[in-house]
Amino acid sequence: MKDYHADELRNVALVGHGGDGKTTVAEAMLYLGKATDRFGKVTEGNTVSDYDPEEIKRKISLNTSVLPVEWRNCKLNIIDAPGYFDFVGEMLEGLRAVDSAMIVVSAVSGIEVGTEKAWDYADQYGLSKMVFVNQMDRENADFDKTVSQLKDKYGTHILPLQLAIMQNDHFTGFIDLIDLKAYAVDNNGQTKEIPIPPDMNDGVQEAREAIIESAAEGDEALMEKFFDGQQLTIDEIKRGIKAGVLDGSVVPVLCGAGFVMAGITQVMNAIVDYMPSPKDKGADENKPFSAIVFKTVADPFVGKLSLFRVESGHLTSDTAVYNSNQDKTEKVGQIYLMRGKKQVPVDAINAGDIGAIAKLQYTVTGDTLCDPAHPVKLKGIEFPAPVISKAVEPKSKGDEDKISMGLHRLAEEDPTFTVEKNVETGDMLISGIGELHLEIITQKLHSKFGTDVILRDPKIPYRETIRKSAKAEGKHKKQTGGHGQYGHVWIEFQPLNDPSETFVFEDKIVGGVVPRQYIPAVEKGLRECIEHGVLAGYPLIGVKAILYDGSYHPVDSSEMAFKVAASLAYKKGIAEADPVLLEPIMHVEVIVPEEYMGDIMGDINKRRGRILGMNQVEGGLQQIVAEVPMAEMFKYATELRSMTQARGIFTMRFERYEEVPSNIAVKIIEEAKREQQE
């Protein structure tokens, strides 16, 4: 592949709802651009972009792939991004690397939630947009209906550049509204010019006038010509549309069918003609080198592979660069171009282009690499926080270290996935965007690192406390040959007013009944005891212990004896102080479209939650603020998605501990005791 400069590049992400055919469209582009010699099929598991074993097995995209293809003296870096919500992190990585987004919409199902999300994210990233109405070859495909939906949702930005030709409800071709020609398409994507069907003349005229008007609005000189009643040339129309696409006022719409390669040539032409180049978006080859690392791939054999987009200057192999996020210098070895999983070695990469480097030591996704003499920090990538957690258990004993290493490598690859060891419960917790996300992580752990795990709900970090005061005696007296053991204390246990305080110890000994040197041992003994409550063995919080009396033996007393005496007083006193079980309460904020408010509030009430308030947020959405027990929230990510057709999102954080209702507490205590016996 030849060397391309910023004005000869087009970086385009294919985004949209899962199952709308993005990977098939990308495959057709590669084939028509002669980047591949066969047209891969998702159903056959032989596409360039879906190369991961899980993608092949499930027949869906899980990872963002870079697919360069040459077309009309330009290089198109096509980024095929997953449409399923569990892999939104991959889509965000892809969007950070491009200048425009092609939103792929099914002509059968029309606008879906994945379409809306892709559109919103493209707007957030300031990307130019075009729409490809795909799957026109399927039964019930309706281009006009889909365009109407787009116009209803996104208004006057929507500009069809083609009209679909339908015969007996079947897609047979399209009319190009720029050059006013009609084309029949065959099952190999080949087009043949035909006369415009007479019954479509009125529609064609109306649609073309809208195009000319949009083109004129994008350019002052064209606007003057338009108002003077002069005809715009085809080149002028294209120039005006490109200006509108660049400033976001125009979103061109084309149609076709990726599976039979119908309309794909026209899509690739439209990308070259209308989508901005990196130069249009500010990439400058004459400035010092800077690049954003937008994706990391963890490979157990090759090591870490960092995918980057050059924002300015150029990068050559075997140079030193500065990572401004980590304040570290990195040595760049061989540079590669990526095509799916294939790595093509190159000597240099210019501004606006996309490449990869292996084995960078410190660099993670979102970091800036730059010229050490001209440090700069580029805008990174904001990823959604994980919303679902599972505990991981090894299937085979002795695999713990291998599993931990594999999970941490996968977390390097996927910023929406986290791993942590819960010190209290002992659980190894993995967290992600959805159940499918975590399931795929465990499959990758198996395929990449050769270890198998079981997923289960995490243990809930319950607590225990007391509701009333109680006094208790602890006496440890043992006489054996030689020195005996003697420790004797009276302790009063009281509930603290502030339950967030774990434990307070007070010394009220007078007259030396317990010598000074043994009082720290009493406190230490109690602090060890509160790690295990008397009800179900959960840590005790919100308790004050007052040491007020006791006795000692001048020979047999020792620190150990007083520690034991304290633990005896603890067991008796806490048991008599009306101990209760506490559960973690989470502060939850749910954002949903208004029509789902009733269902969401009813569901929160069923989860023993309390609604604290409701607020209107931007985009016509509603925010529900609530407090819900952690025990009721483990599957909420999945259930919220189901209740809202994936339009709802939520965040959650720990708020405080509250008493567990007695009927639920009984079951928890019984379960804990059963586990202790096992």
Side-chain angles (χ1 to χ4, degrees):
M1 192 175 278
K2 73 168 198 168
D3 207 20
Y4 286 90
H5 296 280
D7 58 340
E8 301 166 316
L9 295 166
R10 302 289 185 274
N11 299 319
V12 186
L14 302 192
V15 291
H17 195 77
D20 282 0
K22 297 177 290 298
T23 298
T24 302
V25 169
E27 200 67 26
M29 288 182 179
L30 291 177
Y31 182 73
L32 290 171
K34 298 187 168 47
T36 56
D37 53 12
R38 69 169 183 194
F39 179 32
K41 303 275 199 311
V42 173
T43 49
E44 293 170 17
N46 59 1
T47 64
V48 176
S49 61
D50 288 357
Y51 54 84
D52 185 279
E54 283 301 306
E55 293 178 306
I56 293 165
K57 184 173 107 183
R58 294 169 186 268
K59 298 180 173 42
I60 59 170
S61 296
L62 307 173
N63 305 294
T64 284
S65 290
V66 183
L67 308 166
V69 56
E70 293 170 295
W71 190 257
R72 279 178 46 199
N73 300 316
C74 284
K75 176 182 170 190
L76 317 185
N77 282 316
I78 304 299
I79 303 259
D80 181 22
Y84 288 88
F85 310 117
D86 287 44
F87 310 102
V88 64
E90 291 281 339
M91 178 173 72
L92 296 178
E93 289 173 346
L95 291 176
R96 182 61 184 86
V98 298
D99 307 295
S100 56
M102 184 165 98
I103 298 166
V104 179
V105 184
S106 168
V108 181
S109 42
I111 292 183
E112 295 173 271
V113 63
T115 320
E116 295 170 12
K117 289 192 178 224
W119 191 288
D120 292 343
Y121 280 126
D123 279 349
Q124 278 180 36
Y125 278 76
L127 301 177
S128 299
K129 295 181 289 292
M130 67 184 285
V131 175
F132 179 60
V133 179
N134 190 29
Q135 301 174 341
M136 287 295 300
D137 54 331
R138 294 195 178 176
E139 213 173 307
N140 301 320
D142 194 329
F143 178 72
D144 293 342
K145 183 180 171 187
T146 306
V147 169
S148 293
Q149 284 182 353
L150 287 163
K151 284 183 173 175
D152 289 346
K153 182 103 183 137
Y154 301 112
T156 53
H157 299 315
I158 300 299
L159 187 70
L161 302 186
Q162 297 171 338
L163 293 180
I165 301 172
M166 308 293 287
Q167 286 183 357
N168 301 321
D169 292 332
H170 284 89
F171 176 63
T172 59
F174 59 86
I175 296 165
D176 185 321
L177 296 168
I178 305 289
D179 64 10
L180 277 180
K181 289 178 180 174
Y183 298 92
V185 293
D186 64 19
N187 284 345
N188 296 312
Q190 298 298 312
T191 56
K192 183 178 75 174
E193 193 177 334
I194 56 169
I196 292 174
D199 62 335
M200 294 184 72
N201 277 327
D202 290 348
V204 166
Q205 209 52 46
E206 190 183 326
R208 192 160 197 275
E209 280 169 19
I211 287 172
I212 292 167
E213 205 170 308
S214 285
E217 284 172 5
D219 185 298
E220 277 187 35
L222 298 182
M223 180 70 88
E224 280 182 33
K225 193 172 177 182
F226 176 70
F227 280 131
D228 285 348
Q230 297 178 55
Q231 290 293 317
L232 301 188
T233 66
I234 286 175
D235 283 346
E236 286 173 333
I237 292 171
K238 286 183 175 179
R239 190 177 89 213
I241 291 170
K242 179 163 185 174
V245 169
L246 185 60
D247 71 17
S249 61
V250 171
V251 179
V253 182
L254 290 87
C255 65
F259 193 71
V260 293
M261 293 186 283
I264 302 300
T265 296
Q266 289 68 30
V267 163
M268 294 169 83
N269 286 336
I271 289 172
V272 171
D273 289 337
Y274 307 121
M275 294 296 103
S277 72
K279 188 175 181 180
D280 295 324
K281 291 283 190 170
D284 190 342
E285 292 175 23
N286 299 314
K287 287 186 177 175
F289 165 71
S290 69
I292 182 81
V293 174
F294 66 89
K295 180 175 168 62
T296 305
V297 179
D299 190 297
F301 305 110
V302 180
K304 193 165 73 171
L305 200 61
S306 301
L307 276 64
F308 64 93
R309 172 202 160 114
V310 180
E311 296 287 355
S312 60
H314 65 277
L315 181 65
T316 54
S317 294
D318 301 316
T319 52
V321 296
Y322 176 63
N323 182 323
S324 56
N325 296 78
Q326 311 295 340
D327 190 20
K328 298 281 188 184
T329 298
E330 292 272 27
K331 180 80 173 73
V332 173
Q334 178 63 57
I335 304 172
Y336 302 97
L337 294 178
M338 301 296 294
R339 182 175 286 130
K341 68 177 175 182
K342 190 178 175 189
Q343 300 165 18
V344 181
V346 291
D347 295 328
I349 300 229
N350 294 322
D353 212 345
I354 291 170
I357 317 165
K359 299 178 181 172
L360 291 180
Q361 199 173 345
Y362 309 105
T363 301
V364 296
T365 300
D367 282 357
T368 298
L369 302 176
C370 56
D371 180 340
H374 299 87
V376 64
K377 198 178 280 189
L378 301 169
K379 188 179 178 189
I381 308 171
E382 281 184 35
F383 292 99
V387 293
I388 185 168
S389 297
K390 289 279 183 187
V392 171
E393 289 179 355
K395 273 192 181 171
S396 308
K397 283 205 166 158
D399 270 1
E400 287 83 357
D401 288 347
K402 210 170 162 189
I403 287 165
S404 177
M405 184 271 291
L407 289 172
H408 282 96
R409 292 281 292 278
L410 291 171
E412 273 186 5
E413 181 177 87
D414 182 352
T416 62
F417 167 68
T418 60
V419 189
E420 66 169 330
K421 179 85 171 175
N422 186 310
V423 180
E424 182 185 325
T425 63
D427 281 346
M428 172 76 82
L429 294 179
I430 61 171
S431 306
I433 301 297
E435 288 192 56
L436 178 61
H437 185 201
L438 296 185
E439 190 185 316
I440 297 292
I441 290 285
T442 63
Q443 296 297 334
K444 282 187 177 180
L445 198 59
H446 170 77
S447 60
K448 285 189 172 188
F449 301 98
T451 58
D452 289 307
V453 293
I454 300 160
L455 292 183
R456 60 165 173 77
D457 284 341
K459 291 174 187 159
I460 298 168
Y462 291 108
R463 295 283 187 269
E464 298 181 22
T465 194
I466 55 173
R467 287 195 294 198
K468 67 180 192 187
S469 298
K471 293 179 178 179
E473 179 186 29
K475 195 171 203 179
H476 178 57
K477 185 178 178 184
K478 213 167 185 184
Q479 198 64 49
T480 53
H483 278 313
Q485 295 176 41
Y486 187 90
H488 176 217
V489 293
W490 277 94
I491 300 172
E492 181 176 3
F493 297 95
Q494 298 175 350
L496 285 169
N497 291 330
D498 181 0
S500 67
E501 275 195 88
T502 303
F503 178 71
V504 174
F505 176 76
E506 192 176 334
D507 163 21
K508 279 198 176 174
I509 291 295
V510 289
V513 290
V514 175
R516 294 281 107 207
Q517 70 263 34
Y518 298 135
I519 289 170
V522 174
E523 182 178 355
K524 191 178 179 191
L526 290 172
R527 287 194 181 278
E528 287 176 6
C529 287
I530 64 167
E531 293 300 314
H532 303 283
V534 300
L535 285 175
Y538 292 106
L540 191 75
I541 61 170
V543 173
K544 182 176 185 178
I546 303 166
L547 173 63
Y548 67 92
D549 202 357
S551 63
Y552 73 102
H553 188 282
V555 177
D556 292 348
S557 284
S558 65
E559 287 187 5
M560 181 52 72
F562 272 97
K563 262 181 84 174
V564 175
S567 72
L568 295 170
Y570 170 83
K571 281 174 189 158
K572 276 192 249 172
I574 298 298
E576 290 169 14
D578 194 11
V580 290
L581 197 64
L582 303 176
E583 65 181 337
I585 302 296
M586 310 306 284
H587 177 93
V588 180
E589 294 180 7
V590 189
I591 294 176
V592 291
E594 194 155 355
E595 62 264 33
Y596 300 109
M597 288 280 284
D599 290 347
I600 299 303
M601 288 164 72
D603 179 70
I604 286 171
N605 288 328
K606 278 188 207 157
R607 293 173 190 274
R608 301 191 283 124
R610 283 191 297 273
I611 309 283
L612 302 181
M614 286 162 284
N615 308 299
Q616 189 138 8
V617 292
E618 56 186 51
L621 301 170
Q622 294 284 340
Q623 179 196 53
I624 300 166
V625 182
E627 290 180 348
V628 190
M630 180 195 275
E632 305 288 342
M633 293 298 289
F634 283 136
K635 294 195 167 51
Y636 192 63
T638 307
E639 286 155 6
L640 176 67
R641 195 177 287 178
S642 169
M643 283 186 287
T644 64
Q645 279 72 57
R647 287 181 171 86
I649 58 169
F650 80 104
T651 56
M652 181 168 75
R653 67 167 193 268
F654 171 74
E655 187 65 32
R656 66 176 174 282
Y657 276 94
E658 267 185 21
E659 191 177 327
V660 180
S662 55
N663 59 323
I664 297 170
V666 169
K667 292 177 190 166
I668 296 165
I669 292 165
E670 282 174 1
E671 178 66 28
K673 285 179 177 170
R674 194 159 50 246
E675 280 182 15
Q676 287 161 17
Q677 285 164 1
E678 288 172 3

